[in-house]
Structure formats: C-alpha cells, structure tokens
Amino acid sequence: MSTARILVVDDDPHARDLLQRLLGVLGPVTQAPDPKGAAERMGEQSFDLVLTDMAMPDPGDGLKVLQTVKSNLPDTPVIVVTAFGNIEGALDSIQLGAFDYLSKPFDVDAIMRVAKRALEQKRLVEENRTLRKQVERTSLVGRSQALLEVYKQVARAATSNVPVLITGETGTGKEMVARALHKRSARTSGPFIPVDCGAITESLMESELFGHAKGSFTGASGARRGLFEEANGGTLFLDEIGDVGMKVQSQLLRVLQEGEIRRVGESVPVKVDVRVLAATNKDLKARVAEGLFREDLLYRLDVVHLHLPPLRERREDIPALVEHFASLHARGGVRPVVTADAMARLTVYDWPGNVRQLENVMARALALNVTGVLGPPDFPEPIGDAPKRLTGLAGDLPSLAELSRRYAAHVLQHVGGNKSEAARLLGVDRKTLYKLLEAPETPEGIPPAEGRS
C-alpha cells in the first residue's frame, strides 16, 4: 500500500497521540483538536483518510468534520469514532457519507483493519476515475462517413490477431485507434504498451524493445526485460515505426515471423505472445524505394491497413469533438458553452495538428476562461479569425451563416426542440436563435431540427 496522508481530529490530545502512533505505519499523520482546526488543515493540504471523534466541544462535532470533508475532499473516506456507542450518531454519520464508525476504547486491530479498507476504497475510486478518463480520452469521436469507415474496420480487425498498420498525419488519433483495437480484442485484459519510436535513439531502441543481459553493454548493471516481454499476452503499439533503424527492423521481422525475441547479450530465444500494431505519418513505400525501410517488414506489418483522414477532410466531426473536449477538460464538473460564432470559426479552421491540436486549443481556452462561455476571443489567431480565410477560396466551403445554422440546429435537436434552452446554451436570445435557424441552407447543409418555428 502506498503512503497515505491521514488527519486525526479529536479534542483529547492523548487520543490523538495514540491514533498517530497506530496509524503512522500507513503514512504521515496530522492532528487537529476540533472541527475548525480540521478545516484549517484541509485548507493547507489534502488527505487520503480522516478519523474524527464524534463528541467534541463547540464549535461543532464529528458530523461537522464529516460535512467539511465531503465539501472539500469528497473522495476522502471518513471514519467516525465515538466513546459512547451512540447508535443514533453513528447512523447519522453513515447517512452523511462516513465510511464506517468505531467505538472507544480503541481496538487496535479494528482501527487498522477499517483504515486499510477505507484507503483501499479510495485507491479504487481514483483508479476507476483514471480509467474512465482514459476511455473518454481514447474514444473515437465523430460520425462522418470517413470515420464510420474507420469504425467498421476497427470492429473487423479487432477480432483478429494479425498486425495492423495505422497511417495518417500527426495528431489524427492513431494511438486512439490502436487502443480501440486492443480494447475490443480478446487481449483486452492484457497490457497495452505504446512505444514512441521517434523519441528513442537507435542505440537504445534494441535494448528497450528486446531487453538485455547483465554486462551486455556499458551501463547494463543488471538484466532487464524489454517491452516485448512486458507486453506478453497483450498488445505492443509501435508509433512512428518509420523512424526505426535497419538493424532493429531486422529484429522486428524475426519477432513477427518466429514469435520470439533475443535479449541483447543473450543467445537463447524467448517466446513472446504479442500482437503488434504500428503507426506512421510517413510514406513507407517511398522509404522502401529509398532503401530506408525493409520491404518484407512492411508486408508483415501491413496485413490490415487503417488510414485516418485529417480533420480538415471531416469537418462535420469538429462540433462533436469540441463538445467532447469541452466536457473532458471542464473545470469543477461544469460543462462550458461554446457560442455559435466560435463553433463556426473552429469548424472552418484547417487544423494542421489535427485532433491533438484541437484538444490542446480547447484545454487552453478552458484553463483561461472564467465565464463558462467560450467565444471567438477565447481562441488564438488564426483560429479566432478563421472565417476571414474564406475570402477568395473555392465556393464549395460553407458560409459562416450556414455553419452557424447547422450548429444551432444541432443544439436545438440536442435539447429536444426546447428553444429557450437552446438559446441559453448558445449564449444568445430567442430572437437571435430564430435568425440563426433561418439562415440560407446550402445544398449540402444539414436540415433544421424538427419543431422549428
């Protein structure tokens, strides 16, 4: 169990000292003599566990401490201790969210058992939240025809065990596709290990992937397993595979052919059961022609080929991505509103960094915005003035009015045709909402939501 920060609240200094000695094996213990002192300590740092006495003199009791914890550290478990076995007080504490209650005099074994159980619950809550964030972050977002084709290919390829080559520009979401393949495969319970091949020097790549024996090179003070062994039973994602040198390419080919690796400095092969997914933003066929990439390795990797189109070729997915990132990076759980004008500008921008750039821009805007409403000024140039770039471009791009109408219709449909709610979310009045919905529709436009008047 990792070190935990614990707060003990009791008006009896001897009881505080005893609890500090008992719980000190779990981590640093901070003391407070009353609810006010507990609130001050919580203002200075966070805690993983709080133990509080129930009966304390004014200004408050253990329930006051419990309420303060739930307001400031909602995931922190609270154990309430009472000297009187007060059933009514114990029930009140449980109803207010206490993890458990104990009676004085202290049962050392009981305190340690309950404290460890409470800390384990907190760890699981945090772990689940992290996993949910990872799922949210790695989910494919969008309903364009191009992305729907990717969805279908992912669904088909996930059930297989063959290598997959994922191509696309930087930031298009190649790792998200790789994670989706792993999550939907029979290997989902195994590890998913991503490797940024472009960030590892060629001299270190061999040891990173295949491991090494003790003394196999200068600095190898001990034996080490490589990432192929770490990924055994799961998936190894080789991002920027086009940056791998020729020597390591030969070793990768052997792994794909034989299902075994050799650690640096060892001659005995080690069997591995790993599915290899690779990604690149380079033209590997061109690199083969230039003598920079092995043709036989390309054939081994490119059994299934998934190509992710750049964001500028699937602009209809941008509103959904904006809403997704707005929710993902919202502060305090309050989902911000993106005005129709801002959404239009975000939609017409070309996004050379693709989905990754869009997420970074949204995270920056939300970090600096204090109103909860994101408008054009919240986004940097040239994004904030993106509509100016339409002047003189080909006529097949939708107008700003058309993009505003599409987004207004989308929001109205999202709220079930409630125009007042749609106007509130868009940051406009009902009159302006009507004007947005009545904008001229281009042939390829999205029809207005039903119930429009």
Side-chain angles (χ1 to χ4, degrees), residues 245-261:
M246 295 297 284
K247 180 181 179 182
V248 175
Q249 288 181 35
S250 300
Q251 294 166 311
L252 286 173
L253 182 63
R254 178 181 180 84
V255 178
L256 293 171
Q257 290 175 333
E258 309 296 336
E260 62 184 32
I261 57 101

Side-chain angles (χ1 to χ4, degrees), residues 126-268:
E126 292 176 344
E127 185 177 276
N128 288 337
R129 179 180 293 109
T130 300
L131 290 172
R132 285 197 301 271
K133 283 290 185 183
Q134 289 177 349
V135 169
E136 290 174 1
R137 188 177 297 278
T138 58
S139 295
L140 296 171
V141 177
R143 287 293 181 267
S144 64
Q145 188 58 43
L147 201 58
L148 288 176
E149 286 301 318
V150 174
Y151 289 148
K152 288 191 286 188
Q153 291 176 315
V154 166
R156 293 167 185 156
T159 58
S160 172
N161 202 37
V162 299
V164 176
L165 180 63
I166 307 166
T167 59
E169 296 178 6
T170 298
T172 48
K174 297 185 288 294
E175 183 172 339
M176 289 191 288
V177 170
R179 289 184 181 275
L181 284 165
H182 173 74
K183 188 171 66 174
R184 290 163 175 76
S185 74
R187 296 174 175 267
T188 185
S189 60
F192 175 90
I193 298 183
V195 185
D196 185 352
C197 299
I200 304 174
T201 62
E202 187 172 0
S203 59
L204 292 177
M205 179 63 75
E206 186 178 10
S207 173
E208 282 291 313
L209 291 178
F210 310 115
H212 60 256
K214 180 179 180 180
S216 56
F217 55 86
T218 303
S221 57
R224 178 188 172 189
R225 298 200 323 164
L227 295 177
F228 265 99
E229 289 182 83
E230 294 292 337
N232 202 40
T235 303
L236 187 68
F237 173 54
L238 301 175
D239 198 8
E240 303 304 339
I241 188 68
D243 292 334
V244 173
M246 295 297 284
K247 180 181 179 182
V248 175
Q249 288 181 35
S250 300
Q251 294 166 311
L252 286 173
L253 182 63
R254 178 181 180 84
V255 178
L256 293 171
Q257 290 175 333
E258 309 296 336
E260 62 184 32
I261 57 101
R262 282 194 175 92
R263 296 173 184 158
V264 178
E266 292 185 359
S267 59
V268 179

Side-chain angles (χ1 to χ4, degrees), residues 212-365:
H212 60 256
K214 180 179 180 180
S216 56
F217 55 86
T218 303
S221 57
R224 178 188 172 189
R225 298 200 323 164
L227 295 177
F228 265 99
E229 289 182 83
E230 294 292 337
N232 202 40
T235 303
L236 187 68
F237 173 54
L238 301 175
D239 198 8
E240 303 304 339
I241 188 68
D243 292 334
V244 173
M246 295 297 284
K247 180 181 179 182
V248 175
Q249 288 181 35
S250 300
Q251 294 166 311
L252 286 173
L253 182 63
R254 178 181 180 84
V255 178
L256 293 171
Q257 290 175 333
E258 309 296 336
E260 62 184 32
I261 57 101
R262 282 194 175 92
R263 296 173 184 158
V264 178
E266 292 185 359
S267 59
V268 179
V270 178
K271 284 288 185 182
V272 290
D273 174 24
V274 177
R275 185 184 192 182
V276 174
L277 307 177
T280 183
N281 60 5
K282 294 180 170 63
D283 184 343
L284 293 186
K285 289 184 178 179
R287 292 183 71 79
V288 168
E290 295 168 4
L292 299 174
F293 203 85
R294 292 183 61 120
E295 187 174 26
D296 47 3
L297 177 60
L298 176 57
Y299 290 146
R300 283 284 181 177
L301 292 171
D302 198 7
V303 178
V304 174
H305 191 145
L306 294 178
H307 179 72
L308 282 175
L311 197 52
R312 63 183 175 275
E313 292 181 7
R314 53 183 186 98
R315 295 180 190 275
E316 57 268 48
D317 289 334
I318 292 177
L321 283 164
V322 168
E323 293 184 2
H324 172 69
F325 292 136
S327 177
L328 188 63
H329 296 286
R331 292 189 297 179
V334 179
R335 184 173 178 174
V337 173
V338 181
T339 67
D341 192 11
M343 183 65 77
R345 293 165 190 259
L346 293 169
T347 304
V348 299
Y349 183 62
D350 274 347
W351 299 107
N354 293 292
V355 178
R356 185 182 302 158
Q357 182 189 9
L358 175 57
E359 179 175 7
N360 290 339
V361 165
M362 288 298 300
R364 174 187 178 277

Side-chain angles (χ1 to χ4, degrees), residues 71-139:
S71 297
N72 295 279
L73 305 170
D75 294 334
T76 297
V78 178
I79 299 172
V80 175
V81 182
T82 174
F84 310 106
N86 186 330
I87 297 300
E88 183 178 350
L91 291 176
D92 288 342
S93 67
I94 295 298
Q95 288 177 343
L96 285 173
F99 178 79
D100 206 339
Y101 76 95
L102 297 169
S103 297
K104 293 180 180 179
F106 299 130
D107 182 326
V108 175
D109 292 336
I111 287 177
M112 293 301 295
R113 184 170 58 251
V114 174
K116 288 179 179 179
R117 190 156 47 87
L119 290 170
E120 177 64 12
Q121 175 186 275
K122 184 174 189 294
R123 185 190 68 78
L124 291 173
V125 168
E126 292 176 344
E127 185 177 276
N128 288 337
R129 179 180 293 109
T130 300
L131 290 172
R132 285 197 301 271
K133 283 290 185 183
Q134 289 177 349
V135 169
E136 290 174 1
R137 188 177 297 278
T138 58
S139 295

Side-chain angles (χ1 to χ4, degrees), residues 20-43:
Q20 182 164 8
R21 288 197 299 273
L22 292 175
L23 299 172
V25 297
L26 301 177
V29 177
T30 301
Q31 296 186 17
D34 51 39
K36 181 181 178 182
E40 292 173 352
R41 304 294 185 275
M42 281 182 267

